[in-house]
Amino acid sequence: MAKKGLGYYIVVRALMIIPTILILYTIVFILLRILPGNPILAVVGTRNIPPEQLKHLEHLAGLDKPLIIQYFDYLWNVLHGNFGVTLASPMGVPVINYIATRFPATLELTIWGFTFSVIIGLVTGMIAALKRGSKIDTGMRIYSIVAYTLFIPWFGMILQYVFGVILGVLPTGGRIDPRISLQTITGLYVLDSILTGNIPALISSIKHLILPGLTLGIVLSGAYTRLVRNNMVDVLSMDFIRSYKARGIPRYKITWYALKNAFIPVITLMGLQFAILLGGAILTETTFSWPGMGTFIVDRIEYRDYNSIQGAIIFFAFFVAVISLIVDVIYALLDPRIKY
Amino acid sequence: METRIKPKSLLSPLAKQLTSRLPGRGLLLAGLAIVLLFIGMAVFAPWISPYDPTKMVDKPFLPPSLKHLMGTNRIGQDVFSRIVWGSRIVLYVVFSATLLSMAIGIPLGLLSGYRGGKIDRVLSMFMDSMYSFPALILAIAIAAVLGPSPMNTAIAIAFVYIPTYFRMIRGQTLSIKNQLFIDAAHALGIPDKRIMLRHILPNLAHTILVVFSLSVADAILTEAGLSFLGLSVTPPTPDWGYDLRVGQPFFLNGQWWLVFFPGLSVMLLAMGFALIGEALSERLSLAQSI
């Protein structure tokens, strides 16, 4: 087979996200339009509004056109970064403005949650594999089930109570101490504080990230624990490990080689876990009053602001598609057996 | 010629596992015990719960005591009674949702895997895209449009778990349909529909049971998540996720029982199903590796 190089693979894989995004867009569009209930009347609730105002609102939401036109209009707008305007107070604000300020918060939280989950999963899985068949192994197995079934808001609140209220060492909500001013560049507070050399902001933003990040990280780590353990048990029984042992290579080095080999399937799991991570982020944000996309969606649901909900969800669809692209590319880079 | 294959019961793998001494039996028993406890609680709620879960029965914020096992909440409702009645809501929502997604996902998966071709490619592409999207976020969108009610929550959850069943059934069908006994069935001129329902489907029983337990565990967390976000029930209906949300500000003030017990119930019930799924899937992979 002719080898066309990594660049070619990346381009082909990037093109493949187009159908994925289109399908997700279509599903969300259809769901939000065919489901019963007039979104505008849902916004105004039980109040009686004059028909002309209803017309105006429907026009604002683009709901006065035929469905098929709406479908392409909205797609066209979205591709130009226009996610419509909010339909509830404050009315008429472009949804993209909200996304621009809210999304970095969610991204920062998910990066931390993701990092915690992988580190905890690797360590616990590795320990379980090295102590295979022992009580520790069973303990780790129980850990992976319990972690998976932890209900995020509940677990988050317990952490808040223990570390925020009883010990009083960590804040229970928000992204940064409101008394600290931070010049935002990327919207990722930790990165921004490093870039601007703002030490108090750095400490404060890290402190605010620990509890929500850990909540998300621990809940998601269970799946990694399991996978790393099983892969490592398989790798440790392979011939090359036995020959390393025969040659007297130190144990920590062998563990490292085994871990590297067991890591490849973990990358695939990372892609799948990311979707769960985003879902979990919504609950984590709500629990920790984290001003991200999740709390935005939940706020807007209370107003029944259908344009904002739609915009945020379509945006998530793009984001998920891009993440799965990145995961696939990393996978191809790391595993030399992958043919592209 | 006798071509009938005795159809296996869907529950036979469960029964076999229970009576065997293979590893995983302990997990299975623990899981079943938890699940049966909650089902019993839901069924016998009127007899178990000491008070009306929707009425103010005592002073607000009473800590757990013999009179109120789990204390009372901010409007003087008995927390234990609300937990007992809340199990009805969560089980009702989760079971209707799971049955609904099975009723759609399994036939589509069978058809897609068995027929192959264009229909398979289109269906797979749709299902894979849906599968890649965060289930909770999709469920939030649907539930938000439908409005808060247990049935609507069930529909929202059902929708997001269809791809799980579809993908699993399709994959298994693909591997089974190339086996000799299916070729034999073809040679005997048995119609496709019959092959799918009588020859392939019974062989999927174990897989379906595993996916069922794991997706129920997941759906319990999704249901609790939706009601935590205020998308499932309207007050004063007792619901674990909703009670958790309402209790949060008081929890941090030290009224721990308002949050601790509802959240614990969510976790235990989800864990019960996860343990069953875990035990069954271990048995399944064991059978495959032999």
Side-chain angles (χ1 to χ4, degrees):
Chain A
M1 199 168 106
K3 211 176 161 183
K4 286 182 175 140
L6 188 65
Y8 180 79
Y9 172 78
I10 294 175
V11 171
V12 170
R13 183 61 189 76
L15 288 176
M16 271 164 56
I17 70 174
I18 295 174
T20 309
I21 289 177
L22 268 181
I23 288 170
L24 279 174
Y25 170 77
T26 310
I27 292 172
V28 172
F29 183 88
I30 292 173
L31 277 178
L32 293 182
R33 308 276 157 146
I34 63 160
L35 289 176
N38 179 330
I40 302 301
L41 288 179
V43 176
V44 297
T46 46
R47 281 182 291 133
N48 278 322
I49 61 163
E52 55 270 28
Q53 202 185 337
L54 184 67
K55 280 257 157 49
H56 172 70
L57 283 171
E58 280 184 344
H59 179 72
L60 205 61
L63 291 171
D64 51 349
K65 294 176 194 153
L67 270 182
I68 189 78
I69 306 278
Q70 287 181 33
Y71 177 87
F72 286 108
D73 267 5
Y74 191 66
L75 182 62
W76 183 252
N77 287 339
V78 162
L79 290 176
H80 288 77
N82 176 2
F83 287 80
V85 294
T86 53
L87 291 179
S89 103
M91 210 177 276
V93 180
V95 174
I96 190 72
N97 291 6
Y98 282 101
I99 296 177
T101 55
R102 297 300 194 108
F103 178 65
T106 299
L107 185 64
E108 187 161 46
L109 175 63
T110 45
I111 289 173
W112 279 63
F114 179 78
T115 314
F116 278 131
S117 70
V118 174
I119 293 174
I120 298 170
L122 279 178
V123 171
T124 49
M126 197 176 74
I127 295 173
L130 292 176
K131 305 276 176 196
R132 188 186 173 187
S134 70
K135 283 215 173 74
I136 295 175
D137 187 16
T138 317
M140 290 303 171
R141 184 171 181 191
I142 293 171
Y143 166 80
S144 80
I145 298 175
V146 171
Y148 171 79
T149 54
L150 279 174
F151 184 45
I152 289 178
W154 183 68
F155 184 52
M157 285 180 211
I158 289 178
L159 290 184
Q160 282 178 334
Y161 189 57
V162 173
F163 291 97
V165 178
I166 297 180
L167 301 174
V169 286
L170 290 169
T172 56
R175 285 186 78 188
I176 194 164
D177 191 326
R179 285 163 298 179
I180 295 174
S181 65
L182 172 68
Q183 183 198 350
T184 49
I185 302 164
T186 58
L188 306 174
Y189 283 4
V190 172
L191 190 62
D192 285 347
S193 355
I194 294 172
L195 288 177
T196 55
N198 191 338
I199 302 292
L202 179 67
I203 294 171
S204 173
S205 52
I206 288 180
K207 270 187 163 177
H208 281 80
L209 266 164
I210 290 177
L211 288 186
L214 262 186
T215 305
L216 204 49
I218 288 180
V219 172
L220 283 147
S221 66
Y224 292 109
T225 306
R226 161 89 48 85
L227 188 70
V228 170
R229 183 226 173 248
N230 291 348
N231 285 335
M232 237 176 117
V233 165
D234 287 348
V235 174
L236 282 172
S237 65
M238 283 181 173
D239 286 346
F240 79 97
I241 295 287
R242 204 176 42 190
S243 65
Y244 281 155
K245 279 184 189 157
R247 274 189 260 158
I249 288 174
R251 206 181 143 80
Y252 73 91
K253 272 196 180 165
I254 295 179
T255 307
W256 171 242
Y257 294 140
L259 190 64
K260 271 200 327 200
N261 276 282
F263 195 66
I264 299 281
V266 173
I267 299 167
T268 315
L269 183 67
M270 285 177 183
L272 291 175
Q273 286 279 91
F274 208 83
I276 307 175
L277 190 72
L278 283 179
I282 290 203
L283 294 174
T284 313
E285 286 179 8
T286 314
T287 312
F288 287 90
S289 348
W290 190 262
M293 294 285 285
T295 39
F296 174 62
I297 292 177
V298 174
D299 285 351
R300 291 287 115 185
I301 285 172
E302 269 166 31
Y303 289 112
R304 306 255 154 227
D305 180 352
Y306 154 96
N307 251 14
S308 302
I309 300 170
Q310 177 175 268
I313 286 172
I314 301 277
F315 182 80
F316 267 125
F318 275 89
F319 184 52
V320 168
V322 170
I323 289 293
S324 76
L325 167 70
I326 294 174
V327 168
D328 278 5
V329 170
I330 293 177
Y331 194 82
L333 280 175
L334 288 185
D335 191 346
R337 287 169 301 183
I338 296 265
K339 290 206 179 67
Y340 34 75
Chain B
M1 195 187 300
E2 183 56 63
T3 58
R4 278 182 80 100
I5 294 173
K6 201 175 136 216
K8 280 188 235 167
S9 148
L10 258 177
L11 288 176
S12 69
L14 190 67
K16 223 184 273 171
Q17 170 111 10
L18 268 179
T19 50
S20 74
R21 283 233 154 254
L22 283 165
R25 189 162 172 254
L27 291 182
L28 185 71
L29 287 176
L32 275 177
I34 296 174
V35 168
L36 289 177
L37 180 81
F38 277 101
I39 291 179
M41 213 159 93
V43 171
F44 300 109
W47 292 277
I48 296 173
S49 97
Y51 301 96
D52 183 331
T54 58
K55 295 242 166 69
M56 179 176 170
V57 292
D58 211 324
K59 288 191 209 86
F61 298 126
L62 289 177
S65 63
L66 278 178
K67 199 168 163 222
H68 300 285
L69 285 176
M70 298 177 181
T72 59
N73 67 9
R74 88 205 137 96
I75 39 177
Q77 295 161 334
D78 181 55
V79 175
F80 177 63
S81 303
R82 288 186 69 80
I83 299 266
V84 171
W85 283 91
S87 63
R88 281 198 169 186
I89 300 282
V90 64
L91 287 171
Y92 162 73
V93 168
V94 165
F95 278 133
S96 1
T98 312
L99 291 178
L100 200 58
S101 42
M102 280 167 86
I104 300 171
I106 293 177
L108 285 181
L110 257 178
L111 192 73
S112 195
Y114 185 75
R115 284 277 158 82
K118 241 184 215 140
I119 181 172
D120 179 40
R121 279 203 296 277
V122 171
L123 273 173
S124 299
M125 213 155 82
F126 256 89
M127 294 290 179
D128 284 350
S129 302
M130 259 170 75
Y131 189 74
S132 71
F133 195 74
L136 184 65
I137 298 179
L138 200 56
I140 286 174
I142 303 169
V145 176
L146 288 176
S149 92
M151 197 58 223
N152 289 344
T153 313
I155 294 173
I157 296 176
F159 191 83
V160 299
Y161 287 103
I162 292 173
T164 312
Y165 285 96
F166 173 86
R167 286 162 54 102
M168 192 57 88
I169 296 300
R170 175 181 172 272
Q172 294 280 315
T173 307
L174 278 178
S175 69
I176 290 176
K177 82 167 180 186
N178 291 323
Q179 287 182 23
L180 205 57
F181 75 101
I182 300 294
D183 286 344
H186 276 302
L188 288 166
I190 296 172
D192 282 350
K193 198 177 146 200
R194 196 179 161 85
I195 293 181
M196 280 192 262
L197 293 179
R198 292 314 265 297
H199 297 238
I200 297 181
L201 191 60
N203 281 294
L204 299 176
H206 203 135
T207 313
I208 292 175
L209 208 56
V210 171
V211 182
F212 172 81
S213 328
L214 294 176
S215 74
V216 166
D218 219 51
I220 289 165
L221 296 168
T222 308
E223 192 276 339
L226 288 177
S227 58
F228 176 72
L229 298 174
L231 289 168
S232 178
V233 299
T234 41
T237 317
D239 182 271
W240 301 344
Y242 179 79
D243 283 3
L244 205 67
R245 177 200 181 105
V246 177
Q248 182 173 17
F250 309 106
F251 177 69
L252 295 182
N253 281 336
Q255 276 112 10
W256 55 273
W257 57 92
L258 296 185
V259 159
F260 183 75
F261 294 113
L264 189 69
S265 312
V266 172
M267 187 178 110
L268 279 178
L269 186 55
M271 198 156 72
F273 282 102
L275 286 172
I276 296 176
E278 171 87 8
L280 290 173
S281 74
E282 183 170 323
R283 173 75 191 281
L284 185 67
S285 59
L286 204 70
Q288 277 167 352
S289 64
I290 289 170

